[in-house]
Amino acid sequence: MLKIFLYIVFVIIAAWVITGLTGLSGFTVLELEGTRVDVSTNLLIGLAIGALILFFFGGTVFSWLVSLPGKFKRRAEDRKRARGMVALTRGLEAVAAGDAADAQRYANTAAKTLAEPALTRLLTAQAAQLAGDTDTAQLSYTAMLEAPETEFLGLRGLYMQAIQSGDHEEARAYAERAFRLRPGTAWAFESVLRLNLERGAWGDALEALTLGRQNNIADGLEYRRMEGALLAAQAYATDDAGERGEASKDAQAALKKSPKLTPAAALAAEIELDAGHRAKAARLLGDAWEAEPHPGLAAVMRRIFSHERDERVQGRLIKLTERNPEHPESRLLLAKLQLEGGDAAAAQETLEPLLTGRPSRRVLDLMAEITEARYGTEAAKPWRDKAAAAPAEVIPGIDGTFHYTTEGWRRLIREFSEFERLAPPPLEVETPEIASDEVRALLAPPPAPVVPDTPVTDESETALPEETEADAEVTDEAEVEPEAEEPAATDASDDASDEPDAAGSEDDKVAKSA
């Protein structure tokens, strides 16, 4: 608005000046070295105004005329760059769509029309990679390393090329360089961590985790558990190398990260045992049992106190189960100890809550032993049959030793970090579910055996020893044909009625003989 107002004022003033000048009359006399010139005053003023205008605007006009060829050239370059940017955009779209032919065509167009190799090299490399031209892709990605703005993208491309070709060492080198360049990038962190895990470099993996945590990309609980498992693996590697002091530090650091790491607790306790610190070893095992009971911990506890009497060792193990009494492993261990102590009834009562549902093979085997101790082998047969049908249990470190291979540690680290367990569940079919009614029926004591009455037969009579002659005569006289058996209710009355007749017949025989 102000510019319009000033423009109007300028036009008014200019019109007023021009009108005033045109109203002047007369001549102006110019004399120079004796030469006199009479000039119209109006013309002289007009020439003066024209000279001023030329002085002020002549330079601008001249500059415009001089810059005119450059403007035409720049306009052509702008049109060319616009075509290049369109080709670059459509080439990236073709790469995303998986169209290798269009991607390469647009990549060539962009390379010719754009004088910015930082933009075109990425498209050229991706188009070549999509078309299977690994050599061109390798050259393009390598060329990208020369410019700081494309170095990171070039490293990612070279990393992907190395992974596809199976060269994990070269891939790890590219990933580590990219991670150092941008430590806050997730793909670089995950790549370095995974490749170090694959080659068993626990220390390098721990360094990557530390750097990732510093850049807020490894703060989750999963990474904390992974750090603990890596420390445990490193502790065992250090222990194998003979550096027991460093191994103990790593094992106890692993327990601080995750108290449920049974391998770390077992190794730390063994090292303390070798150093003569039995009480500290037992305390480590107790803390680990409280966090996560494991049969390997009980095995280590037995080794620690193997010099003591069995009764004292059993007492220590019972106290161990009291640290986490409701856990299935605690109940299983306590029932086993009670059975070893001769109290099979208490062992059955302890184990009974684990029988309903899908009990494990170890539970079923122990229940069979308890039943056999109480009622005999035949009563234990149903439990043994169920144990045989249950899937086998694979429990890492059940004997208290965890000396794995590199592949074993790698699996443990991944399993523990993701699911907080030492091994995946079995792949076999689960144990058939046992209803509570069936459990009660199996736990009931078997009925007492019934001994049947055996009737006396002729064979048993003939088996009588040493017959006398008098007995033989009486036997001959008394021998009669076997009669059909009468109902039991009439036997007694018949025997009673026959007794007088038998007595009378005997008297008659005596009288006749006299």
Side-chain angles (χ1 to χ4, degrees), residues 464-480:
L464 292 174
E466 297 183 0
E467 269 187 19
T468 62
E469 293 182 2
D471 292 336
E473 291 177 0
V474 174
T475 303
D476 291 339
E477 293 177 359
E479 227 174 12
V480 293

Side-chain angles (χ1 to χ4, degrees), residues 437-450:
D437 294 340
E438 184 180 1
V439 171
R440 285 195 295 270
L442 290 172
L443 292 178
V450 178

Side-chain angles (χ1 to χ4, degrees), residues 159 175 179 183 185-197 208-209 217-218 222-223 226:
Y159 164 79
F179 191 42
T185 307
W187 78 263
F189 164 70
E190 293 289 348
S191 301
V192 171
L193 186 61
R194 178 173 58 82
L195 291 172
N196 282 322
L197 282 176
L209 270 177
I217 56 175
E222 176 183 347
Y223 291 114
M226 180 181 288

Side-chain angles (χ1 to χ4, degrees), residues 63-82:
S63 298
W64 179 79
L65 292 174
V66 170
S67 64
L68 195 59
K71 288 183 178 181
F72 285 121
K73 184 179 180 180
R74 283 194 298 274
R75 184 174 295 177
E77 290 177 352
D78 290 342
R79 286 198 297 269
K80 183 179 179 180
R81 190 176 187 279

